[in-house]
Amino acid sequence: MHDTIASLDHPQILVPMGNFALEALIGKTGISNHRGSVYEYVDRNGRTLKVIPILHPAFTLYEPSKE
């Protein structure tokens, strides 16, 4: 994933969808606590990108009461 991000021409914002993506990208867990926050990620080319985590869309399938 980090190589793919580094290969992009002009990325500006990364939006990890869910806990697994958030942890893989910036090492944080607990998507409910971090969703909507803005973090920074420095890719392998030294570019600083904004990271805005959101809940995975499938979350509403598993927790319909929290739509």
Side-chain angles (χ1 to χ4, degrees), residues 13-36:
I13 299 172
L14 301 173
V15 182
M17 298 174 125
N19 218 17
F20 184 78
L22 177 64
E23 185 174 4
L25 194 59
I26 60 174
K28 295 189 180 289
T29 58
I31 189 69
S32 296
N33 298 325
H34 298 288
R35 67 188 177 112

Side-chain angles (χ1 to χ4, degrees), residues 2 4 21 27 36 38 44 46 55 57 65:
H2 299 286
T4 302
V38 179
R44 293 185 173 169
L55 294 173
S65 64

Side-chain angles (χ1 to χ4, degrees), residues 44-55:
R44 293 185 173 169
N45 294 326
R47 301 176 294 191
T48 301
L49 310 172
K50 291 183 181 180
V51 177
I52 304 172
I54 64 170
L55 294 173

